[in-house]
Amino acid sequence: MRGIKTFFLLSTLAITASCGAFRSLDTSTEVDKSDTIVLAGEGREAHDDKTTIWEAFGPRKSEQRVQVNRYLWAASLDVLDFLPVQSVDPFTGVIITGYGTPPGGGRAYRATIHIKDPALEARALNVALQSRGGAVSSATARAVEDAILSRARQLRMADKKI
């Protein structure tokens, strides 16, 4: 009987000690700001999420946080509404449009917009413009970026009722 107790005690000790051996590093950071869009996505598998005995009985962390400024996102679609949207990826913050002609203009453009930060700042927005003839001047791309940033600030002020 004493051998069974010793075996059970040693087995329990070995299982408890090995619970932390398979712990994975979680380098994700969560930003909970009112200016970000949060999308729920599929999480990791249950065996990947539960690494210790205490986490096995806790709630699952299956929500994936996406950090895209909602005002920049809406302003980009609003300012460039004359361009047909080809691809939208809110998980990476990329909007890709097809060729379109601006109202009152004669030259067709296409754009790729990348929103890479949840802050409403100029560094969070990258706009790449292209015409059928090739690259567009940096002044034109800068003017489109400024228009998007101005519209995003207008949307934020209207939302906050400042």
Side-chain angles (χ1 to χ4, degrees):
M1 187 71 168
R2 186 174 185 183
I4 294 173
K5 287 183 182 179
T6 305
F7 175 74
F8 180 75
L9 181 63
L10 289 175
S11 299
T12 306
L13 182 63
I15 290 171
T16 306
S18 68
C19 284
F22 302 105
R23 180 176 303 262
S24 64
L25 294 175
D26 187 15
T27 60
S28 65
T29 58
E30 294 183 10
V31 175
D32 190 17
K33 295 181 180 178
S34 62
D35 293 350
T36 58
I37 297 173
V38 178
L39 300 171
E42 289 186 27
R44 292 179 280 169
E45 296 294 323
H47 59 83
D48 289 344
D49 219 7
K50 310 299 181 195
T51 57
T52 67
I53 191 140
W54 307 113
E55 292 172 346
F57 297 108
R60 291 192 60 194
K61 298 175 185 173
S62 64
E63 186 175 290
Q64 179 181 359
R65 298 252 181 210
V66 177
Q67 301 174 2
V68 175
N69 187 291
R70 66 178 174 170
Y71 300 115
L72 286 175
W73 187 266
S76 298
L77 293 174
D78 193 25
V79 168
L80 299 173
D81 64 347
F82 63 92
L83 298 175
V85 176
Q86 285 185 341
S87 174
V88 174
D89 189 4
F91 294 103
T92 59
V94 175
I95 302 170
I96 300 173
T97 66
Y99 284 103
T101 306
R107 194 170 179 188
Y109 297 99
R110 73 181 224 181
T112 302
I113 300 105
H114 183 209
I115 302 168
K116 57 185 177 181
D117 197 297
L120 181 57
E121 298 175 351
R123 66 180 173 86
L125 178 68
N126 279 343
V127 176
L129 287 177
Q130 181 182 4
S131 70
R132 293 191 192 271
V136 177
S137 70
S138 61
T140 305
R142 175 74 52 125
V144 171
E145 283 182 6
D146 290 342
I148 291 172
L149 288 167
S150 296
R151 181 66 182 143
R153 289 184 189 106
Q154 290 172 355
L155 291 173
R156 183 172 183 214
M157 288 191 311
D159 193 33
K160 302 286 183 180
K161 296 182 179 146
I162 295 177

